[in-house]
Amino acid sequence: MKKLPGEVRFFVIAWLLFVPALVLYFTAQIVSTNAQHMDLATLANWGGIWPVAAIGFLTICAFVEMGAYVKFKTGFFSAWSEAFWSMIEK
């Protein structure tokens, strides 16, 4: 973990910090809805489903960063920044 560039480390740590908490929160919502004998369709609006979208976004960001690190030995956004600036300097 210490060998990872700062950008990659940031996304991995963000994933490790937020995803487990979001999974617990979403699971608690489902359990609470079942305990109150409510229809599970009440979770189908943005107020109930946003943790799933956040988990997906954080997972995609972490995978993209790790993939860029494996391929380019730098973070995804750093690689694109370097490519952009090398294109501008020509």
Side-chain angles (χ1 to χ4, degrees), residues 6 9 15 19-20 26 29 35-37 40 46 53-54 72 74 79 89:
R9 189 178 320 128
W15 191 90
V19 169
F26 186 67
Q29 279 185 328
Q36 295 174 4
H37 303 291
L40 284 177
W46 179 247
F72 304 115
T74 185
E89 291 174 356

Side-chain angles (χ1 to χ4, degrees), residues 4-62:
L4 293 176
E7 177 184 346
V8 178
R9 189 178 320 128
F10 170 78
F11 281 100
V12 169
I13 290 172
W15 191 90
L16 289 172
L17 285 176
F18 291 110
V19 169
L22 289 170
V23 167
L24 287 175
Y25 177 72
F26 186 67
T27 305
Q29 279 185 328
I30 292 174
V31 169
S32 172
T33 303
N34 278 339
Q36 295 174 4
H37 303 291
M38 295 171 58
D39 185 18
L40 284 177
T42 59
L43 292 176
N45 58 11
W46 179 247
I49 205 86
W50 71 266
V52 175
I55 290 167
F57 177 74
L58 288 171
T59 302
I60 289 170
C61 286

Side-chain angles (χ1 to χ4, degrees), residues 62-80:
F63 281 158
V64 166
E65 287 291 329
M66 292 301 290
Y69 175 70
V70 168
K71 178 77 174 173
F72 304 115
K73 299 299 180 215
T74 185
F76 177 76
F77 298 108
S78 297
W80 276 102

